[in-house]
Amino acid sequence: MATHRTKMLIIGSGPAGYSAAIYAARAMLEPIVVQGLQPGGQLTITTDVENYPGFRDVVQGPWLMEEMKAQAEHVGTRMMWDTIVSVDLENGPPYKAIGDSGDEYIGDTLVICTGAQAKWLGVPGEQELGGKGVSACATCDGFFYRGKKVAVIGGGNTAVEEALYLTNHSDNVTLIHRRDELRAEKILQDRLLKHPKISTLWNKTVKRFEAGEDGALHHLVLEDTVTGESSTLEVDGAFVAIGHAPATELFKGKLAMDDSGYLDVEPGTPKTALPGVFAAGDVTDHVYRQAVTAAGMGCMAALDGERFLATMEQATAEPETEAAE
Ligand code: NDP
């Protein structure tokens, strides 16, 4: 079991973590990235990426993350194949974290980029048809259903926003909700209910996603929550939008978070309430949730971390200067 020290400890390896690492490494902070259980994050389970700037042609999510990782390593980041299982934020800075390997990580600053994961229904066909009609991100995949028939499952803000977004690509969007009342904000509900391209199916749950002969999604098998009746809905794409779960279990009771578990930061910055502890990407952002916004926030966290360290160094250097004079 080893101890690893760094000026910037980055937990998580999605676009936020790798971007923080690139900036930190170039600022000579010799960052360490502890990659976690899913190195590369959510983009490694998507396929085509068409909205990350800099690439004229479609790129693959896993490839993009490999490139970001390679870039971070190239400029001097140490990558750790480990998963943080506990953190000590009470006695810092520096802050301590323990890996699954038993190794200890000590960072003068800490950047939390543990991300979030889409919640899934957990019904047959859902995982098998991932990337073949079933998705959890309309902004990422909606474009691939231009002129096709799509459904969104859920009744919260995300589901309604996704349904509205999908009308940019499809004239036939169905929102399927398990109750007869939406949880989404009134203004979004109004927009949805008035929209000519959107229809709603109330009191329905999805029991199964079923493929056609081509192996892609063909229809949903639904069940009425009131009558128990079964029905089917033919669709080309289905977007599961029943919420996201930020990966913040490690920080419960240690950092402030909202009711859904997203870490609180000072508005417009990645600063948490603890000095030198930053949060970037989906772990703190339930609104935008894009690779490019996460990358931007990772960059901001590294820059703020660098400034924090400079202020600390100055504060410790000043008394000596005065004494010398
Ligand atoms: P929510 O938790 O608000 O909504 C989840 C929806 O999915 C609910 O309607 C829920 O149904 C339904 N659901 C949950 N589990 C299942 C299941 N197993 N089967 C069928 N349906 C299910 O999640 P959101 O992602 O919509 O929003 C998360 C947070 O982010 C909220 O605070 C939201 O306000 C915020 N947000 C804000 C945005 C904005 O301000 N523009 C945009 C997007 C999100 P039921 O209602 O019956 O519980």
Side-chain angles (χ1 to χ4, degrees):
M1 274 168 274
T3 296
H4 312 276
R5 255 210 98 118
T6 171
K7 290 189 179 134
M8 186 167 285
L9 177 60
I10 299 165
I11 308 180
S13 58
Y18 287 151
S19 301
I22 292 164
Y23 274 78
R26 296 194 74 252
M28 313 305 280
L29 303 184
E30 297 172 340
I32 289 178
V33 171
V34 183
Q35 296 185 92
L37 282 175
Q38 190 183 47
Q42 291 181 71
L43 271 191
T44 58
I45 52 165
T46 60
T47 50
D48 295 354
V49 177
E50 216 169 53
N51 55 7
Y52 197 86
F55 306 98
R56 173 195 309 233
D57 297 320
V58 170
V59 296
Q60 298 298 301
W63 175 86
L64 182 60
M65 297 321 297
E66 269 305 312
E67 288 298 302
M68 281 194 207
K69 179 182 173 196
Q71 187 180 358
E73 284 180 315
H74 179 72
V75 289
T77 303
R78 274 185 285 166
M79 291 293 166
M80 297 294 177
W81 191 271
D82 202 353
T83 301
I84 298 299
V85 291
S86 72
V87 288
D88 174 2
L89 304 184
E90 275 169 42
N91 304 303
Y95 298 99
K96 278 190 197 159
I98 305 293
D100 192 34
S101 64
D103 282 9
E104 182 182 55
Y105 300 88
I106 303 176
D108 295 333
T109 56
L110 180 65
V111 181
I112 301 165
C113 307
T114 46
Q117 286 194 322
K119 290 186 197 160
W120 294 98
L121 294 165
V123 299
E126 186 177 44
Q127 292 309 314
E128 296 84 333
L129 293 171
K132 293 182 208 151
V134 179
S135 165
C137 179
T139 330
C140 321
D141 299 330
F143 187 72
F144 304 114
Y145 297 93
R146 259 181 306 173
K148 299 197 170 165
K149 204 173 162 190
V150 293
V152 176
I153 300 121
N157 277 356
T158 303
V160 173
E161 284 199 341
E162 301 232 317
L164 290 167
Y165 173 81
L166 285 165
T167 60
N168 294 320
H169 305 298
S170 164
D171 292 341
N172 192 333
V173 180
T174 306
L175 184 99
I176 302 168
H177 185 35
R178 64 181 175 182
R179 293 187 294 135
D180 63 358
E181 197 185 358
L182 294 169
R183 179 184 293 275
E185 286 164 28
K186 188 78 179 63
I187 185 164
L188 288 173
Q189 293 196 24
D190 285 351
R191 265 182 230 157
L192 177 109
L193 298 173
K194 279 185 198 146
H195 205 291
K197 295 181 183 174
I198 302 176
S199 51
T200 43
L201 278 179
W202 303 111
N203 299 321
K204 298 276 189 291
T205 53
V206 176
K207 301 308 281 181
R208 289 192 303 280
F209 295 85
E210 291 190 343
E213 278 175 8
D214 59 356
L217 177 66
H218 179 265
H219 63 267
L220 314 179
V221 177
L222 308 173
E223 186 179 274
D224 192 292
T225 54
V226 179
T227 63
E229 240 171 70
S230 258
S231 58
T232 57
L233 179 74
E234 275 188 30
V235 285
D236 302 294
F239 294 85
V240 178
I242 60 168
H244 280 74
T248 49
E249 199 60 39
L250 273 178
F251 308 104
K252 282 206 172 125
K254 298 177 181 176
L255 282 174
M257 48 185 85
D258 70 10
D259 292 346
S260 310
Y262 290 88
L263 293 182
D264 284 346
V265 287
E266 196 180 296
T269 81
K271 294 176 190 168
T272 71
L274 288 181
V277 179
F278 305 91
D282 288 14
V283 74
T284 179
D285 168 27
H286 60 70
V287 178
Y288 299 104
R289 291 199 297 244
Q290 300 303 299
V292 65
T293 49
M297 291 169 83
C299 156
M300 288 157 71
L303 293 176
D304 280 343
E306 189 188 347
R307 283 181 199 134
F308 171 81
L309 289 169
T311 313
M312 293 278 283
E313 268 168 36
Q314 215 175 358
T316 46
E318 264 163 13
E320 282 171 32
T321 319
E322 274 166 25
E325 278 170 0

